[in-house]
Every structure is written in C-alpha cells, then in structure tokens.
Amino acid sequence: DIQMTQSPSLLSASVGDRVTLSCKASQNIYKYLNWYQQKLGEAPKLLIYYTNSLQTGIPSRFSGSGSGTDYTLTISSLQPEDVATYFCQQYNSWYTFGAGTKLELK
Amino acid sequence: QIQLVQSGPELKKPGESVKISCKASGYTFTDYAMHWVKQAPGKGLKWMGWINTYTGKPTYADDFKGRFVFSLEASASTANLQISNLKNEDTATYFCAREYNSSFDYWGQGVMVTVSS
C-alpha cells in the first residue's frame, strides 16, 4: 500500500502570507495526486487534480506542484476563508489520503 | 446542478446493521463511479471502495471487506452503503463521492453513524 505523509500537521499563518503544504508518498506516484479542502463540519472539496490542474471555480491563489514522491500545495496569499484542513490523495494505486494539514490564522 | 444528497444520522447498538443512501441528481448516474469514504471523529479520510454504477460491481478496500456492502438502486439514481454487525470503531461520518477522472469532484454532505450501547 502507498502511504501519504503530510507536513506540517498544523500550520499557523497570517492573512496575506504565502503558504506551502507538503505531501510525500512512500513510492513514486507519477503525479497521480489530488488535493482537497475540508472546512469544519463540511464535506471535502476538490481543489487540485493531477498535481497541478485547478478545479473549476477554485481561486487562482491555489496551485499545486511536484513529481515522483514529493508534492506541494501553495496558497499565494492566504485569505480568512482558507482556514480548513487540507488533504492530499494519491491514485496511482487505488486511493490513499494523507492525514491532513490543519491551517489556521495566526 | 449536480448534487449528492445522503440520508440522515443514525444511532445504532453494537451488532446491529445500518443502511446509508446517497441520491444523485443533475447528471446521468450511470456515467460516473461512486466512491465511499470514512471519516472517524477528529480523524482523516479513509477510502472504503467504489461501485461501478453501470454494472453494479463493487470493489472494496482491504479494511472494508466482509461487513460492508455497496449497492445501487439505479432507477432511483441512488447508491447505498450497508454495514452489518456494527462495532464501536464504525462510529464515523460516511461520505459518498462521485469520481471524475480519478478525482472526487462532488461529495455528499456525509452521514454520521454513531455506534453505542
């Protein structure tokens, strides 16, 4: 099974900050990686698919990058509504989610 | 607009069974696979498996083989998840999610299942 490790588990940042969340796979997943945002009490929302493709309706301040085993979600200028937990998901071999990064305002 | 609407919260005793529904609207139900995802309280997301909505064939992740059954009522554009012989560790929110090109683009609102004696 492919394991997904996200870091940090908790991130505090200020409005306007550039924020970077990391996701590391236990083996090469060939860019088969999605990112989801989950706000408290809500269902997850798809942000980024296939490493760097922005889902329709998602603000352009969100971007994704990476290859091999290492992937990144970047928020270029943090907004108050971005407070949420972010999960990465690999689909190279079935599906596995990371444990999540909880993003809070400083 | 595309929607997945799930059934309401459930309170069950250990050993009982529960059936959760996920009704799709706004698209052709049989054109997209449906997945199920578990989220224990305060925890992350765990993929449970998926069902081919055209053939009805289910596929279960290893940790969800045995007591978990995915089924369809295709005429009603509804996917179901049944869990038998409930255990305390089944307490969680269960989401259905539509698959589009290997991503989950639409999600149900989730169903909280509480197992307690």
Side-chain angles (χ1 to χ4, degrees), chain A residues 39-50:
Chain A
K39 296 183 179 180
L40 195 63
E42 297 184 4
K45 177 194 293 186
L46 177 65
L47 298 177
I48 301 280
Y49 59 94
Y50 192 54

Side-chain angles (χ1 to χ4, degrees), chain A residues 9-100:
Chain A
S9 55
L10 176 64
L11 180 59
S12 297
S14 301
V15 173
D17 282 354
R18 182 180 182 88
V19 171
T20 300
L21 286 63
S22 295
C23 179
K24 186 175 183 67
S26 59
Q27 64 189 70
N28 191 341
I29 57 171
Y30 305 97
K31 295 190 174 185
Y32 294 129
L33 185 102
N34 302 320
W35 289 95
Y36 298 86
Q37 175 194 66
Q38 186 179 32
K39 296 183 179 180
L40 195 63
E42 297 184 4
K45 177 194 293 186
L46 177 65
L47 298 177
I48 301 280
Y49 59 94
Y50 192 54
T51 293
N52 57 15
S53 296
L54 194 65
Q55 174 69 350
T56 302
I58 301 302
S60 59
R61 64 180 179 273
F62 291 92
S63 64
S65 64
S67 63
T69 61
D70 295 308
Y71 298 84
T72 298
L73 174 70
T74 299
I75 308 173
S76 60
S77 178
L78 185 66
Q79 300 301 304
E81 61 265 32
D82 300 335
V83 169
T85 300
Y86 293 83
F87 295 97
C88 60
Q89 177 201 43
Q90 70 79 24
Y91 58 96
N92 180 62
S93 175
W94 294 118
Y95 294 87
T96 313
F97 292 92

